[in-house]
Amino acid sequence: MEFNTLLFAIENGIATITINRPDKLNALNKDVIDDLSQALDEVYTNREIQSAIITGAGPKAFVAGADISEFITLGVGEGADLARKGQTLVFDKIENSPKPIIAAVNGFALGGGCELAMSCHFRLAAENAKFGQPEVNLGLIPGYGGTQRLTALTGKGKAMELCMTSAIIDAQEALRIGLVNHVFPAETLMAKTIEMLTLINTKAPLALTKVIQCVNVAGQASGFETEINLFGECFATADMKEGVSAFLEKRKASFEGA
Ligand code: COA
């Protein structure tokens, strides 16, 4: 399959989806979300595919977040729509995929990038990977499931800390808090990911689907809907406009609490 913003390859039953905007650190714009949605449909339906990897192009980033340049003109409803569309078309589709989908995190996984990795069934990281939810720097909150999945993976206290401080943590710290399962030297990350999926691909496919379904309903809540609505509400604030403008203008934001 051909995509404008993704590379998509199938080898030995494993589909590799590579987000391919390295000059923008693979930020998730509307086109990436649409392409990912289609690529996931292919993972769901193509009988040749047993499992999938999501990774980022280039040596620097997995995904550095949602594309901040698309935020500045949005209002409350449009903000919520952005979050809802992304969650429905991509993040929930990954989480609920009947086939295993693993994140190979090869650099920055910030904001929507950390959320993308967290929506995968588990995460393997390169030693240079960096994780964080820096949305409050922009007057925003996570909108692609971050408040819910980070809490599920790391516990409430750590999720609060990471979302409040915007701290960027390295791969070893991500391993320590349960955000990733294994850390490998960058040059072996893809080979190790393929090795693990090659093993998983020898297991009973229907049983794997049922494992995914069961683990996914552990600790479910109505939190995602709350997150969608509150993400939308950020777009009514002057602070969001200031935070996003400051990023685009490459200056420090000054917030007023309005
Ligand atoms: N959305 C849109 N563009 C982004 C982006 C994002 N989330 N993250 C990076 N980019 C762009 C930069 O604007 C820059 O584009 P330009 O060359 O046209 O100016 C390019 O990607 C390279 O990024 P740059 O900031 O120059 O790289 P760096 O090595 O100095 O810094 C980061 C790397 C990841 C620390 C920095 O890019 C960053 O803070 N990104 C935003 C992270 C974030 O807040 N994500 C959450 C969004 S909700």
Side-chain angles (χ1 to χ4, degrees), residues 23-25 27 60 64 66-68 108 110 134-135 138 247 250:
D23 55 324
K24 294 289 178 191
L25 305 188
K60 195 167 165 182
D67 192 319
I68 300 169
F108 286 113
L110 303 179
E135 289 84 355
L138 302 166
F247 177 83
K250 300 187 189 296

Side-chain angles (χ1 to χ4, degrees), residues 2-168:
E2 297 276 318
F3 296 98
N4 285 335
T5 67
L6 307 177
L7 305 174
F8 188 89
I10 307 170
E11 208 175 328
N12 299 323
I14 302 171
T16 301
I17 301 169
T18 306
I19 296 148
N20 190 28
R21 298 182 73 209
D23 55 324
K24 294 289 178 191
L25 305 188
N26 303 320
L28 302 175
N29 65 7
K30 286 196 180 73
D31 292 345
V32 179
I33 293 293
D34 287 341
D35 283 352
L36 274 173
S37 177
Q38 271 190 53
L40 290 164
D41 290 343
E42 184 70 9
V43 171
Y44 271 52
T45 55
N46 185 334
R47 296 171 74 93
E48 203 193 320
I49 299 172
Q50 292 173 270
S51 58
I53 300 168
I54 297 182
T55 193
K60 195 167 165 182
F62 173 72
V63 166
D67 192 319
I68 300 169
S69 67
E70 291 184 341
F71 286 167
I72 196 74
T73 58
L74 301 185
V76 173
E78 291 158 316
D81 285 349
L82 179 98
R84 190 184 308 283
K85 189 177 168 209
Q87 291 199 17
T88 309
L89 289 183
V90 175
F91 294 73
D92 294 349
K93 220 186 259 184
I94 294 170
E95 183 167 76
N96 297 319
S97 162
K99 303 174 186 177
I101 303 184
I102 308 308
V105 182
N106 57 312
F108 286 113
L110 303 179
C114 190
E115 292 171 298
L116 185 69
M118 291 193 294
S119 70
C120 292
H121 296 135
F122 59 89
R123 289 139 293 285
L124 306 178
E127 281 167 348
N128 68 319
K130 298 255 189 299
F131 298 82
Q133 296 292 158
E135 289 84 355
V136 294
N137 284 336
L138 302 166
L140 280 168
I141 63 170
Y144 286 147
T147 59
Q148 308 303 296
R149 293 193 179 97
L150 189 59
T151 305
L153 283 167
T154 68
K156 190 170 167 182
K158 220 12 143 178
M160 287 282 193
E161 180 188 332
L162 288 171
C163 292
M164 286 180 179
T165 62
S166 298
I168 309 281

Side-chain angles (χ1 to χ4, degrees), residues 176-190:
R176 198 184 68 77
I177 65 173
L179 188 49
V180 305
N181 290 20
H182 300 277
V183 178
F184 301 110
E187 58 278 12
T188 63
L189 175 66
M190 283 312 286

